[in-house]
C-alpha cells in the first residue's frame, strides 16, 4: 500500500497539499460553534449536487410534463421522495447556514483587512445562491412556481429601456413556459452552478492565503513561537478535521429528522401551492418568494412606487459588498464594540422580521413594519462609517481567550 502511495505522491503533490492546507495550516485555537458553518456549507453543496443529479435523471423540462415528472419522482420512483426532500430541504438549510456564516463574519469583523476579498467573494456566492435557488424554484412547475416565475421576471420588466427585452430573454417568450424551464434548467445545473462552484473554490483559496479570523478578532500570525508557528494556533488537521466530523454527524442527524418528520416544515421549506399543477388561468391571491428571499421582497413592497422599490431592493443587495470599507473602527470583533454589537443584533432582528412580513399578504398593517425595517437595514450601512469612527471600544487582550 505504501508503495502505491509513494508512486502517487511522486506524480501528484498530494503530500505537499496535505501539509500546506491541513497539517501545517494553523487555525486559531478559540473557534466556537459558528465555525462549523463553513464546513457544513461545503457538505451541503456536495449533497445538493448528488441529489440534483438523481433528480435530473427523471425530470422533464416541458410545461406539459415538468409537474408530472416531479410527482413521478415523489410517488413512483424508488427513494425518489428522499432525494427530492433532500434537495428541497437542503436549500433552506443552506440559507440558514449562510445567514449564520455571514452573521459570524459581521460579529467578529472577519470582513476587515486582510480578509476584504474573502468577504466580497463570499457575498458574491450568497447573491449567486439566491439566483440558483430562484431557478430551481420554478422547475417543479407547481402553480406557485409558475406565478413566482411570472412575478419575478416581470420585476426585470421595470428596468428602463432594456427591461422588456430582458424579460422576454429570461422567459424565452412572452410568458413562462417550456422555453423558460429549459433555460432555467440549463442555468441551474450548468452555467450558474459552475460559476457558483468556481467562486466557492476561490473563497477557500483566499481563506487559506489570509487564514481564519476568530471570535476575538486578534490576528494569530502576529504572535509566533520560537518554531515560527502561531502561539494561539493549532494545526487544522487533526484538531479541526475531528471537530468538523463531529459537527457533520450532529448536523446530518438534524437533517434526517427534518426530512423524515417535517419535510415541508409546515409550508415554510416547501409551500402548499407547489402541490398544485401550474395553471395560467388560476392566479394565486398572494405570490410571495421563499422565506430566504422574503426580506428583499418586503423591502421592494415598502415603497408604493415600483421603480423606487426596485432601487431600494437593489441597494439592499449591493450594500453588504462594501462592508470592509464602511467599517472604520480600529477594533475588529464586536466582543469589544458594544455599540456595533447592538447594531448587529438590531439588524438580525430586522432582517428576520422583514422575512416574516415579506411572506404575508400585502396588507396595510404591514406597511409600517416594512418601511421601518427597510430604513433600519439601509441606515445600518449608511451610518456605519460615522458611528464606527467614534464608537467607544473595550480594551482588546493581547492573546485570544480560549
Ligand atoms: C456556499 C457558500 C460558502 C461556503 C461553502 C463557504 C466556506 C467557508 C469555509 C470552509 C470557511 C472556513 C471555515 C469557517 O470559517 O467556517 C469560510 C470562512 C469564511 N467565509 Fe465562507 N463560505 C460560503 C459563503 C460565504 C459567504 C456568503 C460569506 C460572506 C458574505 C462568507 C464569508 C466568509 C468569511 C469572512 C470567512 C472567514 C471567517 C473567519 O475566519 O472568521 N462565506 N467559508
Amino acid at each position: 500500500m505504501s508503495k502505491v502511495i509513494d508512486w502517487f505522491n511522486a506524480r501528484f503533490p498530494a503530500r505537499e497539499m496535505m501539509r500546506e492546507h491541513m497539517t501545517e495550516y494553523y487555525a486559531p485555537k478559540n473557534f466556537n460553534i459558528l465555525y462549523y458553518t463553513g464546513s457544513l456549507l461545503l457538505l451541503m453543496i456536495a449533497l445538493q449536487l448528488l441529489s440534483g443529479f438523481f433528480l435530473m435523471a427523471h425530470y422533464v423540462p416541458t410545461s406539459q410534463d415538468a409537474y408530472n415528472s416531479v410527482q413521478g419522482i415523489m410517488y413512483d420512483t424508488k427513494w425518489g421522495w428522499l432525494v427530492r426532500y433532500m434537495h428541497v430541504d437542503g436549500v433552506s438549510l443552506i440559507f440558514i447556514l449562510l445567514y449564520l456564516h455571514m452573521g459570524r463574519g459581521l460579529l467578529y469583523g472577519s470582513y476587515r483587512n486582510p480578509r476584504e476579498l474573502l468577504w466580497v467573494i463570499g457575498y458574491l456566492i450568497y447573491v449567486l445562491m439566491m439566483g440558483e435557488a430562484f431557478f430551481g424554484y420554478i422547475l417543479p412547475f407547481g402553480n406557485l412556481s409558475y406565478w413566482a416565475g411570472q412575478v419575478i421576471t416581470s420585476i426585470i420588466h421595470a428596468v428602463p429601456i432594456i427591461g422588456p427585452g430582458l424579460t422576454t430573454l429570461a422567459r424565452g417568450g412572452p410568458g413562462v413556459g417550456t422555453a423558460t424551464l429549459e433555460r432555467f434548467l440549463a442555468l441551474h445545473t450548468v452555467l450558474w452552478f459552475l460559476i457558483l462552484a468556481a467562486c466557492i473554490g476561490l473563497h477557500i483559496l483566499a481563506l487559506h492565503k489570509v487564514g481564519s479570523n476568530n471570535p476575538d478578532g486578534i490576528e494569530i500570525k502576529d504572535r509566533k513561537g520560537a518554531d515560527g508557528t502561531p502561539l494561539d494556533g493549532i494545526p487544522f488537521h487533526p484538531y479541526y478535521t475531528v471537530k468538523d466530523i463531529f459537527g457533520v454527524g450532529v448536523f446530518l442527524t438534524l437533517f434526517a429528522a427534518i426530512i423524515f418528520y417535517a419535510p415541508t416544515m409546515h409550508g415554510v421549506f416547501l409551500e402548499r401551492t407547489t402541490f398544485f399543477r401550474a395553471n395560467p388561468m388560476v392566479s394565486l391571491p398572494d405570490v410571495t418568494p421563499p422565506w430566504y428571499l422574503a426580506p428583499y421582497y418586503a423591502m421592494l413592497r415598502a415603497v408604493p412606487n415600483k421603480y423606487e422599490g426596485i432601487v431600494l431592493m437593489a441597494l439592499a443587495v449591493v450594500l453588504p459588498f462594501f462592508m470592509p470599507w464602511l467599517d472604520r473602527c480600529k477594533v475588529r470583533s464586536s466582543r469589544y464594540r458594544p455599540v456595533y454589537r447592538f447594531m448587529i443584533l438590531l439588524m438580525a432582528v430586522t432582517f428576520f422580521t422583514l422575512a416574516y412580513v415579506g411572506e404575508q399578504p400585502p396588507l396595510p398593517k404591514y406597511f409600517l413594519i416594512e418601511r421601518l425595517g427597510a430604513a433600519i437595514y439601509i441606515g445600518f450601512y449608511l451610518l456605519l462609517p460615522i458611528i464606527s469612527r467614534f464608537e467607544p471600544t473595550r480594551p482588546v487582550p493581547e492573546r485570544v481567550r480560549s
Side-chain angles (χ1 to χ4, degrees):
M1 186 64 188
S2 73
K3 274 195 174 158
V4 176
I5 295 175
D6 286 344
W7 182 91
F8 188 77
N9 274 315
R11 286 153 185 85
F12 189 82
R15 199 167 274 150
E16 291 87 328
M17 281 166 76
M18 179 75 184
R19 219 179 289 137
E20 196 181 335
H21 296 290
M22 298 292 239
T23 49
E24 287 174 18
Y25 175 74
Y26 278 72
K29 62 180 181 188
N30 60 336
F31 276 175
N32 60 16
I33 189 169
L34 290 172
Y35 280 80
Y36 282 117
T37 52
S39 55
L40 293 179
L41 276 166
L42 283 176
L43 168 80
M44 287 310 291
I45 298 291
L47 286 182
Q48 289 302 98
L49 187 64
L50 189 73
S51 52
F53 168 78
F54 286 109
L55 288 177
M56 268 289 283
H58 295 266
Y59 176 74
V60 183
T62 64
S63 58
Q64 277 293 313
D65 296 319
Y67 181 80
N68 288 346
S69 68
V70 174
Q71 297 312 306
I73 293 170
M74 291 293 280
Y75 301 107
D76 296 332
T77 311
K78 218 172 188 179
W79 302 111
W81 60 272
L82 179 64
V83 172
R84 167 126 196 266
Y85 280 142
M86 267 176 77
H87 205 73
V88 170
D89 293 340
V91 179
S92 279
L93 289 184
I94 284 181
F95 275 94
I96 292 173
L97 287 170
L98 277 175
Y99 288 129
L100 289 172
H101 194 73
M102 292 195 281
R104 184 269 319 260
L106 289 174
L107 266 179
Y108 303 143
S110 305
Y111 48 84
R112 299 283 297 271
N113 179 11
R115 298 183 183 80
E116 301 94 325
L117 197 58
L118 179 63
W119 172 266
V120 170
I121 299 172
Y123 193 73
L124 180 65
I125 295 175
Y126 168 67
V127 175
L128 288 171
M129 196 71 87
M130 291 200 271
E132 179 74 7
F134 168 65
F135 298 133
Y137 198 65
I138 308 303
L139 297 178
F141 224 48
N143 213 18
L144 184 61
S145 316
Y146 176 80
W147 287 103
Q150 288 283 5
V151 171
I152 307 258
T153 48
S154 72
I155 293 178
I156 313 173
H157 202 274
V159 177
I161 306 166
I162 52 169
L166 270 183
T167 308
T168 312
L169 186 71
R171 290 178 179 166
V176 172
T178 298
T180 325
L181 291 177
E182 280 168 341
R183 62 194 56 198
F184 277 23
L185 181 68
L187 283 167
H188 186 68
T189 56
V190 186
L191 188 66
W192 204 274
F193 182 78
L194 286 181
I195 296 174
L196 189 59
C199 288
I200 293 174
L202 293 178
H203 188 61
I204 306 294
L205 272 179
L207 173 78
H208 279 228
K209 171 76 187 166
V210 291
S212 282
N213 183 31
N214 60 75
D216 278 318
I218 297 169
E219 206 57 71
I220 62 163
K221 285 180 191 157
D222 291 348
R223 288 189 170 267
K224 291 190 173 158
D227 60 354
T229 59
L231 289 173
D232 286 327
I234 45 175
F236 190 82
H237 179 76
Y239 298 105
Y240 283 123
T241 37
V242 169
K243 185 172 180 273
D244 281 344
I245 289 170
F246 170 75
V248 165
V250 174
F251 184 81
L252 286 183
T253 311
L254 194 79
F255 190 23
I258 292 172
I259 292 173
F260 296 148
Y261 297 109
T264 67
M265 218 28 125
H266 305 284
V268 180
F269 287 5
L270 189 61
E271 290 87 345
R272 210 175 67 85
T273 30
T274 42
F275 291 98
F276 298 96
R277 183 187 294 279
N279 191 343
M281 308 300 279
V282 180
S283 68
L284 294 172
D286 316 305
V287 179
T288 53
W291 70 267
Y292 41 83
L293 303 182
Y296 303 102
Y297 190 60
M299 285 190 251
L300 176 82
R301 286 195 320 204
V303 271
N305 181 300
K306 192 175 173 183
Y307 294 99
E308 288 168 12
I310 291 174
V311 171
L312 186 71
M313 187 176 73
L315 203 63
V317 174
V318 168
L319 275 174
F321 271 116
F322 299 97
M323 198 56 200
W325 299 279
L326 295 176
D327 186 354
R328 305 279 178 84
C329 185
K330 293 211 162 53
V331 176
R332 205 182 265 161
S333 171
S334 71
R335 275 193 175 170
Y336 308 103
R337 302 172 61 185
V339 175
Y340 175 69
R341 194 186 186 102
F342 171 77
M343 286 168 73
I344 293 284
L345 290 179
L346 181 67
M347 181 68 161
V349 172
T350 304
F351 193 75
F352 290 107
T353 308
L354 281 171
Y356 174 76
V357 292
E359 289 280 82
Q360 307 306 314
L363 299 174
K365 64 176 175 179
Y366 295 120
F367 288 167
L368 184 65
I369 305 177
E370 283 169 355
R371 287 183 186 175
L372 195 65
I376 294 175
Y377 182 101
I378 303 287
F380 171 87
Y381 291 102
L382 297 188
L383 294 178
L384 189 64
I386 304 162
I387 296 177
S388 61
R389 195 175 284 180
F390 301 108
E391 72 182 293
T393 56
R394 295 202 190 112
V396 182
E398 298 229 317
R399 302 274 303 273
V400 304
R401 294 188 301 178
S402 45

